[in-house]
């Protein structure tokens, strides 16, 4: 099987992203297929990398469990057997029999996928990473990190490969023209729990709420992510309320319907008692008709007169 036919085997023409001129140049020099987007193939077609012995992979039971619960999120990086052996002809006997591809990055994920009994695994074909030429390998890693259309996790994975190649985030940052803290923030996404990674890939969470959580436990990661999301939502709500003045329905002679003056759970947030109003009194939202057609105004009134716990309870009722 040639490298080109192997690329066709995993669908490079149909699912591959557009390549940079650097990536095409690398492919022309090495004679192998350029990096493609992710697709799925049976794990039985992939051999563990002999350079990363299987007995050193350790226990992957947690990863296996997450595969069964939320599926595989981060793709394996693989190369064709032809590309791998081109620079290592003596390793033929170390590859698994019948394998068409070799893991370049993701041996633990492959082991977990097999233990979980997954019929297929997500992979990214990148024969460039099979080269032993340091200069070509460096160019391949850089081209991979600069690919267009990467998801947040794909970019984190690409940057992590480059960091490992250079040996430090500082060197990788200098080579890419990025700041080291930015690389650290992006790579930290790889330390998230599989559940949070799945939420990020599905668009259920904002990446800004998930960065720099690597030092937290799984439970703390979710709690901190929820806290950031809640604070962000509150800030947006306040900004919206400031831009939109409260709409007070009715005129000077509107019929006044007083609010229920039952005290809330937090006495400190109890609304102040209103003085008796006459027909010509100025009507405020608290004293007169509530602005039912203005959600922003209702939100502002609720925040002034209700505890956080009561607001959450109200939100649950409204969602029913």
């Amino acid at each position: 099987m040639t490298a080109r036919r192997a690329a066709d085997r995993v669908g490079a023409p149909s699912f591959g992203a557009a390549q940079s001129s650097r990536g095409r140049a690398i492919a022309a020099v090495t004679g192998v297929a350029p990096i493609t987007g992710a697709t799925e193939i049976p794990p039985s077609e992939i051999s563990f990398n002999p350079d990363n012995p299987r007995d050193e992979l350790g226990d992957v039971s947690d990863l296996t469990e997450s595969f069964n619960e939320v599926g595989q999120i981060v793709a394996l990086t693989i190369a064709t057997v032809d590309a791998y052996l081109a620079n290592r002809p003596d390793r033929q006997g170390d590859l698994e029999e019948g394998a068409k591809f070799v893991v370049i990055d993701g041996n633990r994920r492959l082991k977990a996928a097999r233990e979980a009994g997954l019929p297929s695994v997500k992979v990214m074909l990148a024969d460039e990473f099979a080269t032993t030429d340091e200069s070509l390998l460096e160019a391949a890693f850089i081209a991979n990190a600069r690919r267009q259309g990467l998801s947040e996790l794909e970019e984190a994975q690409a940057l992590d490969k480059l960091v490992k190649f250079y040996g430090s985030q500082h060197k990788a940052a200098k080579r890419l023209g990025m700041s080291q803290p930015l690389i650290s923030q992006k790579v930290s996404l790889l330390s998230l729990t599989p559940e949070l990674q799945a939420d990020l890939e599905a668009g259920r969470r904002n990446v800004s709420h998930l960065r720099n959580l690597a030092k937290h436990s799984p439970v703390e990661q979710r709690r901190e992510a929820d806290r950031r999301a809640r604070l962000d939502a509150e800030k947006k709500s306040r900004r919206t309320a400031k831009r939109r003045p409260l709409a007070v329905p009715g005129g000077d002679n509107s019929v006044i319907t007083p609010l229920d003056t039952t005290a809330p759970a937090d006495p400190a947030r109890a609304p102040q008692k209103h003085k008796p109003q006459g027909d010509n009194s100025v009507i405020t939202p608290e004293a007169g008709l509530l602005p039912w057609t203005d959600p922003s105004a209702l939100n502002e009134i609720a925040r002034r007169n209700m505890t956080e716990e009561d607001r959450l309870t109200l939100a649950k009722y409204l969602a029913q």
Side-chain angles (χ1 to χ4, degrees), residues 245-249 284-286 288-299 301:
L246 293 178
V248 182
T284 63
E286 292 84 357
L289 295 174
L290 288 172
W292 299 111
T293 59
D294 191 338
S296 177
L298 285 170
N299 172 62
I301 294 173

Side-chain angles (χ1 to χ4, degrees), residues 185-207:
Q185 288 180 14
K186 291 179 177 293
V187 171
S188 69
L189 297 177
L190 298 178
S191 299
L192 293 173
T193 64
E195 291 77 14
L196 290 179
Q197 289 182 346
D199 286 348
L200 176 61
E201 285 290 277
R204 293 188 291 269
R205 287 185 181 272
N206 190 309
V207 66

Side-chain angles (χ1 to χ4, degrees), residues 136-159:
L136 290 178
L137 189 60
E138 177 187 21
F141 278 125
I142 293 175
N144 185 42
R146 288 177 172 169
R147 279 192 301 149
Q148 299 297 315
L150 294 176
S151 70
E152 298 288 351
L153 282 175
E154 288 172 338
E155 183 185 21
Q157 190 178 20
L159 289 173

Side-chain angles (χ1 to χ4, degrees), residues 81-100:
V81 167
D82 290 344
Y84 179 81
L85 293 177
N87 297 287
R88 309 168 184 82
D90 58 322
R91 304 306 294 271
Q92 174 74 61
D94 297 327
L95 299 178
E96 295 179 60
E97 185 176 356
K100 300 181 178 70

Side-chain angles (χ1 to χ4, degrees), residues 7-281:
D8 292 337
R9 167 68 182 77
V10 295
S14 60
F15 66 79
Q19 299 299 307
S20 66
S21 58
R22 180 189 294 270
R24 290 192 295 271
I26 296 171
V29 172
T30 60
V32 297
I35 299 169
T36 69
T39 189
E40 295 190 8
I41 62 175
S44 59
E45 295 186 5
I46 310 170
S47 172
F48 288 99
N49 194 318
D51 301 324
N52 187 357
R54 201 181 318 181
D55 57 5
E56 295 180 5
L57 298 180
D59 180 30
V60 295
S61 57
D62 289 346
L63 193 54
T64 300
E65 183 179 353
S66 74
F67 278 9
N68 284 323
E69 292 179 354
V70 300
Q72 178 193 358
I73 307 301
V74 181
L76 284 69
T77 302
I78 63 173
T80 60
V81 167
D82 290 344
Y84 179 81
L85 293 177
N87 297 287
R88 309 168 184 82
D90 58 322
R91 304 306 294 271
Q92 174 74 61
D94 297 327
L95 299 178
E96 295 179 60
E97 185 176 356
K100 300 181 178 70
F101 306 95
V102 182
V103 172
I104 299 300
D105 179 60
N107 278 278
R108 284 175 54 80
R109 274 167 277 152
L110 176 59
K111 181 180 179 181
R114 289 184 176 182
E115 291 185 3
L118 299 185
S120 62
V121 291
K122 296 178 184 178
V123 298
M124 182 183 75
L125 179 64
D127 278 347
E128 289 138 286
F129 295 150
T131 182
T132 56
D133 185 303
E134 288 293 312
S135 60
L136 290 178
L137 189 60
E138 177 187 21
F141 278 125
I142 293 175
N144 185 42
R146 288 177 172 169
R147 279 192 301 149
Q148 299 297 315
L150 294 176
S151 70
E152 298 288 351
L153 282 175
E154 288 172 338
E155 183 185 21
Q157 190 178 20
L159 289 173
D160 187 54
K161 289 186 177 73
L162 192 61
V163 168
K164 290 177 180 176
F165 175 81
Y166 283 117
S168 75
Q169 292 184 358
H170 289 283
K171 291 180 180 178
K174 184 176 181 180
R175 187 64 180 84
L176 288 176
M178 299 172 64
S179 69
Q180 182 274 325
L182 180 58
I183 286 185
S184 178
Q185 288 180 14
K186 291 179 177 293
V187 171
S188 69
L189 297 177
L190 298 178
S191 299
L192 293 173
T193 64
E195 291 77 14
L196 290 179
Q197 289 182 346
D199 286 348
L200 176 61
E201 285 290 277
R204 293 188 291 269
R205 287 185 181 272
N206 190 309
V207 66
S208 64
H209 305 152
L210 299 174
R211 286 176 175 157
N212 296 326
L213 295 179
K215 296 181 180 179
H216 295 276
S217 69
V219 173
E220 291 172 339
Q221 283 187 5
R222 177 171 291 277
R223 184 182 297 127
E224 176 62 16
D226 289 343
R227 187 189 70 82
R228 293 178 183 180
R230 184 171 60 254
L231 290 177
D232 195 26
E234 291 175 353
K235 289 179 181 178
K236 290 180 180 178
S237 179
R238 286 195 293 269
R239 286 197 297 267
T240 300
K242 289 180 180 178
R243 289 196 298 268
R244 297 177 59 183
L246 293 178
V248 182
D252 287 346
N253 294 313
S254 298
V255 177
I256 300 172
T257 304
L259 293 176
D260 184 354
T261 56
T262 302
D266 183 1
R269 297 184 62 87
Q272 296 183 358
K273 295 182 179 180
H274 300 285
K275 296 179 180 180
Q277 304 288 335
D279 286 345
N280 294 313
S281 299

